[in-house]
Amino acid sequence: MSNYDKVMKLALERGFYFPSCEIYPDAPAGFWEYGPTGTNMKNKFIELWRRELVRRDGMMEIDGCQIMSKSVFVASGHISNFTDPVVKCTKCGSTFRIDRYIEEKTGQRVPERMADSDIDALIQKHNLKCPNCKGDFGKVGRFNMMFGVGIGPAAEEAYLRPETCQTIFVDFSRVFKTMRGRLPLGIAQVGKSFRNEIAPRQSLLRLREFYQAEIEVFCNPNRLDEVPKFDEVKSTILRLYRDGDSGITEVTAQDAISKGLVPNKLVAYYLALLTEFYEKTGIDIKRSRFRKLSDEEKAFYASVAFDFEVETSIGWLELVACNYRSDYDLKGHATTSKQNLEVVDPADQSKVLPHIFELSMGIDRSIYTILEHSYYEEKVKEETRAVLRLKPYLAPVLVGILPLMTKDGLGEKARKIHSELKLDFDTFYDESGSIGRRYRRLEEVGVPFAVTVDQTTMQDDTVTVRYRDTMQQDRLKVTDLRRFLNNALRI
RNA sequence: GCGACGGUCGUCCAGUUUGGUCUAGGACAUCAGAUUGCCAAUCUGGUAACCCGGGUUCAAAUCCCGGCCGUCGCACCA
């Protein structure tokens, strides 16, 4: 059984995540729900992101709408760039990106704006047939990855956002003005995005509705090397890679700049912050890299792009896209909306249309990767124990409270301890089955501590605290539990 | 979207080849009771499934058709 399968099984059995609408036969692919355990962990992941990126860097967080007007996507380029010309074989039904197919077969470039009728004519002229079955192609159609929605009785055209950043761009002007913004300014957002993937696959890894945590750093393009905070991270190790490299290059953020591997201090600063954040999630940073994208791979808006990737049992997985988007977005929105989106940089009183560097994080993929990198199996007395070694601050439950047995008042005592802690910590009370079984159940969902009430507790008001990873136990006064748990939550 | 293969309790699997003894079985998990009392113990009992729709047939988990979902490959992935 692969690690992917093990995590998948754990997710289904223990309430991390599962398919949406699963009791109905018409449940569409690419939609997944977080169960109680997964939701708790996801919330904690987001809170860590807030701490390590948003608060650390003094960013502002907003929460925007998921449905946005058509104009937004005219301005963003999604209406034109996101709409691919496709053609369907009339015989076998296979669908092809016809612009690419024509280029491949004839060497003739098909401009993005070419009319469908002109593309049809090209197919005729070159007598192109389906490569699979030699059947005839039908008429050119258009496929857009955005979900359209109709608003109001007239069903006015609008779209579910395909990336959360668009709300940040359209909100930028007001936020900057009213919140007394200064460049560089990071605006952050956690929320859902929607893409009509042709072939969603592998549970949380390719979804049609998914969570993003995005950060858009608005900056003055003339001051990309003026980053006072850079000193905090100058010796942080960045792991850089480009396709074709023999291995990953480990350099400090400082050296990455002096060697020209990263274009400027601003980009290096955020790559370093991101590295430090992911180290704290418990992902094995030795199995991560920033892959520099080639020109062909970059998104239509990006001028420099690094993907933060992590090695998993199913290969390298992109968790974060780090794109230098230049002024592509604000220019587009300024032109389409006819609003002036320039701001004054107080450093030199110049008026600039800010450039944007973004960290676009996939939350669902991150959650999956943390689960996979945290999952361990080890032999204990001929039995295999499965342990999720989640950091205490990411664990869905921090502490399990267990009476060794229910009689002699141990049950009541344990319930009392539980009710004293449950409002301030994520706790779980369990008195069913043998103590060993209860420990195993806890460690399988990553609970780092178990507090056990035994006979001694009744005499001196102490309990045992058992550690998930080592299975060692300490004895602690009940009155010290709060302090112990608060300490354990320290990041 | 195309192709190949698949879909049975929460999970994994048996049953489908050759339609009927399937009133669908087991293991693990889970629940209740008993017992034990610090690492998945034992005993007893319970909950719980044939993906959906149609067809063939006296009879369908089993055969046929369609749909949905999954895995893999191709294509796609701003």
Side-chain angles (χ1 to χ4, degrees):
Chain A
M1 200 189 231
S2 75
N3 283 347
Y4 174 83
D5 292 329
K6 284 174 183 169
V7 170
M8 193 65 229
K9 184 176 182 208
L10 186 66
L12 289 172
E13 284 182 336
R14 299 298 182 194
F16 282 95
Y17 52 86
F18 47 86
S20 181
C21 308
E22 62 178 339
I23 63 169
Y24 285 104
D26 63 347
F31 297 90
W32 288 69
E33 328 258 41
Y34 286 99
T37 334
T39 302
N40 221 332
M41 183 183 161
K42 175 172 67 63
N43 288 341
K44 290 180 178 183
F45 174 83
I46 291 169
E47 205 39 51
L48 184 68
W49 170 85
R50 286 199 176 101
R51 177 193 156 98
E52 295 297 321
L53 293 161
V54 179
R55 290 203 288 271
R56 175 167 177 187
D57 194 56
M59 297 175 188
M60 297 178 186
E61 185 180 351
I62 64 165
D63 187 358
C65 283
Q66 299 173 349
I67 295 176
M68 303 181 81
S69 76
K70 183 184 177 186
S71 302
V72 170
F73 303 109
V74 171
S76 71
H78 284 92
I79 297 281
S80 50
N81 288 304
F82 229 55
T83 313
D84 302 324
V86 291
V87 90
K88 200 169 174 160
C89 170
T90 52
K91 199 169 148 201
C92 72
S94 299
T95 308
F96 301 90
R97 271 288 293 273
I98 191 61
D99 54 338
R100 299 209 179 160
Y101 188 66
I102 291 172
E103 283 180 37
E104 182 194 318
K105 283 286 168 193
T106 68
Q108 180 173 350
R109 249 187 60 73
V110 179
E112 252 167 32
R113 304 280 171 176
M114 184 180 271
D116 292 357
S117 53
D118 291 341
I119 301 178
D120 283 331
L122 274 177
I123 296 171
Q124 287 280 316
K125 182 181 155 198
H126 294 287
N127 193 29
L128 297 173
K129 302 284 183 194
C130 171
N132 292 351
C133 72
K134 307 287 171 223
D136 289 327
F137 285 134
K139 290 273 183 211
V140 170
R142 291 277 163 174
F143 179 73
N144 193 301
M145 297 257 297
M146 286 195 293
F147 285 103
V149 290
I151 297 179
E156 204 170 316
E157 187 179 353
Y159 293 91
L160 288 168
R161 59 184 180 189
E163 50 184 18
T164 55
C165 57
Q166 293 304 326
T167 51
I168 297 181
F169 302 148
V170 300
D171 291 353
F172 166 70
S173 184
R174 176 177 287 272
V175 170
F176 192 86
K177 285 176 195 158
T178 59
M179 301 305 291
R180 305 169 63 206
R182 286 179 143 246
L183 300 182
L185 172 67
I187 301 183
Q189 180 175 212
V190 174
K192 284 229 167 139
S193 292
F194 306 82
R195 295 179 193 177
N196 201 358
E197 294 281 355
I198 298 171
R201 238 163 242 199
Q202 287 169 320
S203 62
L204 256 29
L205 306 185
R206 263 174 90 186
L207 295 163
R208 287 182 165 138
E209 172 174 345
F210 57 100
Y211 278 104
Q212 290 186 300
E214 289 199 304
I215 287 166
E216 307 296 320
V217 180
F218 296 82
C219 53
N220 183 337
N222 303 315
R223 301 179 178 282
L224 296 175
D225 279 307
E226 296 173 31
V227 183
K229 290 174 287 192
F230 180 78
D231 278 353
E232 293 175 28
V233 300
K234 64 183 179 193
S235 48
T236 299
I237 301 289
L238 301 181
R239 296 168 52 82
L240 303 173
Y241 174 82
R242 322 171 73 126
D243 287 342
D245 285 0
S246 56
I248 291 163
T249 309
E250 285 199 342
V251 284
T252 62
Q254 182 84 67
D255 289 348
I257 295 167
S258 54
K259 290 181 180 165
L261 298 170
V262 174
N264 54 60
K265 273 191 180 176
L266 186 109
V267 170
Y269 171 71
Y270 285 106
L271 297 190
L273 281 198
L274 198 62
T275 302
E276 293 183 4
F277 164 72
Y278 270 108
E279 268 182 324
K280 289 175 180 170
T281 64
I283 283 176
D284 181 2
I285 216 73
K286 291 278 177 219
R287 287 195 277 161
S288 76
R289 68 187 184 195
F290 285 103
R291 187 168 68 90
K292 188 168 191 186
L293 269 55
S294 64
D295 288 344
E296 299 84 65
E297 277 187 293
K298 284 186 301 201
F300 60 84
Y301 48 67
S303 58
V304 184
F306 291 90
D307 278 354
F308 179 73
E309 299 182 329
V310 175
E311 197 177 14
T312 68
S313 60
I314 50 174
W316 288 92
L317 192 62
E318 175 194 342
L319 299 190
V320 189
C322 310
N323 296 310
Y324 189 81
R325 301 176 70 123
S326 69
D327 61 359
Y328 178 89
D329 305 284
L330 289 189
K331 198 189 253 173
H333 284 299
T335 309
T336 308
S337 68
K338 302 192 176 69
Q339 303 277 319
N340 184 356
L341 300 179
E342 289 176 320
V343 300
V344 172
D345 187 343
D348 59 4
Q349 295 300 310
S350 64
K351 246 189 171 180
V352 290
L353 185 63
H355 279 209
I356 289 167
F357 179 63
E358 80 170 353
L359 302 175
S360 173
M361 178 182 296
I363 293 183
D364 314 279
R365 290 177 169 197
S366 297
I367 296 291
Y368 170 79
T369 308
I370 294 169
L371 288 175
E372 197 193 294
H373 278 204
S374 303
Y375 186 87
Y376 282 86
E377 286 178 355
E378 62 182 28
K379 283 258 185 240
V380 178
K381 289 198 214 160
E382 304 302 306
E383 295 276 358
T384 303
R385 79 168 186 142
V387 191
L388 216 45
R389 291 191 179 159
L390 296 175
K391 301 283 188 190
Y393 46 81
L394 287 184
V397 172
L398 180 64
V399 60
I401 294 166
L402 322 170
L404 191 57
M405 54 195 184
T406 47
K407 60 188 183 191
D408 296 341
L410 299 194
E412 287 84 60
K413 178 67 179 170
R415 280 193 291 273
K416 183 161 173 281
I417 293 172
H418 177 235
S419 64
E420 281 166 7
L421 295 174
K422 69 180 181 185
L423 295 187
D424 298 314
F425 302 96
D426 283 303
T427 56
F428 183 75
Y429 177 79
D430 192 2
E431 61 178 32
S432 92
S434 74
I435 192 70
R437 173 185 294 267
R438 282 178 274 161
Y439 288 148
R440 291 295 139 76
R441 273 199 292 242
L442 291 174
E443 57 203 19
E444 202 181 14
V445 293
V447 182
F449 310 108
V451 161
T452 308
V453 170
D454 55 22
Q455 299 288 1
T456 316
T457 310
M458 307 310 278
Q459 294 156 21
D460 64 4
D461 213 37
T462 61
V463 288
T464 61
V465 175
R466 173 193 186 264
Y467 302 91
R468 173 194 66 200
D469 299 344
T470 60
M471 297 171 55
Q472 303 291 308
Q473 296 190 337
D474 280 342
R475 203 139 194 116
L476 228 64
K477 283 198 99 55
V478 171
T479 47
D480 286 339
L481 277 176
R482 262 172 193 281
R483 195 182 316 144
F484 171 83
L485 293 173
N486 277 320
N487 268 336
L489 280 172
R490 285 235 179 92
I491 296 167

